[in-house]
Amino acid sequence: RNDLRGVPFLMTQRQSGGTDRPAIAALLGRTWNLRIFRFIIVGIVNTAFSYAVYAALLFLGLPYPAASLCALIAGILFSFKTQGTIVFRNSHNRLFPRFVAAWALIYVANVFLIWSFVALGLDAYLAGALATVPTTALSYLTQRFVVFRPSDASPRSTPARPQHTPFSEGSP
């Protein structure tokens, strides 16, 4: 007898092929189909990478605008394909100039935020970390509605599936 069978995330559900799988796997599968969830997961990886570059360059003595620019460039090179492929399911290289332009705007906003936090008395390390929150929101919005907008879906991109949430594949 399995005492955990009543726990909702451990319960199984019947798949169309006749096999059972844990409900948690089904939930994760449905959650992965939400664009915003993929953006958050990929964004965490990209942000951690970019912040590590930023902090390392600050440690090496670069001023925060230069450290932020270098971290941005390193992050752009990696995140174009991860965001395009995993999140927006369109990594056509013709979108790269638009991606870079969007990140130029995001960079200016990020440096302004860091400068503002430093002016309030925070050190540049903490200022850079705090700036990631609004910068992440700006990043999602510009990528979703400017860079990888649905009207630019390439024939090689994965077709969108209809969903019922504003952050999913089929939303406008």
Side-chain angles (χ1 to χ4, degrees):
R1 178 175 167 208
N2 184 351
D3 291 333
L4 296 175
R5 294 181 80 176
V7 178
F9 66 87
L10 295 176
M11 295 171 62
T12 61
Q13 56 182 203
R14 181 74 56 186
Q15 291 180 326
S16 60
T19 61
D20 287 336
R21 69 178 179 161
I24 188 81
L27 176 63
L28 287 175
R30 285 191 304 272
T31 304
W32 188 250
N33 285 331
L34 296 174
R35 179 181 293 121
I36 192 72
F37 180 75
R38 292 190 312 265
F39 179 81
I40 291 168
I41 297 301
V42 171
I44 288 169
V45 171
N46 291 343
T47 299
F49 172 77
S50 293
Y51 185 73
V53 171
Y54 171 78
L57 294 174
L58 278 181
F59 181 77
L60 293 174
L62 263 64
Y64 69 83
S68 183
L69 178 61
C70 291
L72 176 66
I73 291 169
I76 284 173
L77 295 174
F78 178 71
S79 72
F80 174 69
K81 287 297 182 180
T82 59
Q83 292 291 351
T85 302
I86 298 170
V87 178
F88 298 101
R89 304 215 170 136
N90 182 359
S91 62
H92 195 283
N93 289 336
R94 69 180 167 76
L95 300 175
F96 188 70
R98 205 182 305 166
F99 187 81
V100 171
W103 274 101
L105 168 74
I106 295 164
Y107 168 74
V108 170
N110 188 49
V111 170
F112 174 76
L113 287 169
I114 293 170
W115 174 82
S116 298
F117 290 137
V118 168
L120 291 173
L122 300 176
D123 77 342
Y125 292 97
L126 181 57
L130 291 175
T132 61
V133 175
T135 301
T136 299
L138 180 60
S139 171
Y140 179 80
L141 294 172
T142 57
Q143 289 182 65
R144 172 74 173 99
F145 295 107
V146 176
V147 179
F148 300 104
R149 59 184 178 229
S151 63
D152 289 334
S154 71
R156 293 188 294 181
S157 66
T158 303
R161 289 186 237 152
Q163 300 287 326
H164 302 288
T165 67
F167 299 109
S168 56
E169 295 295 323
S171 64

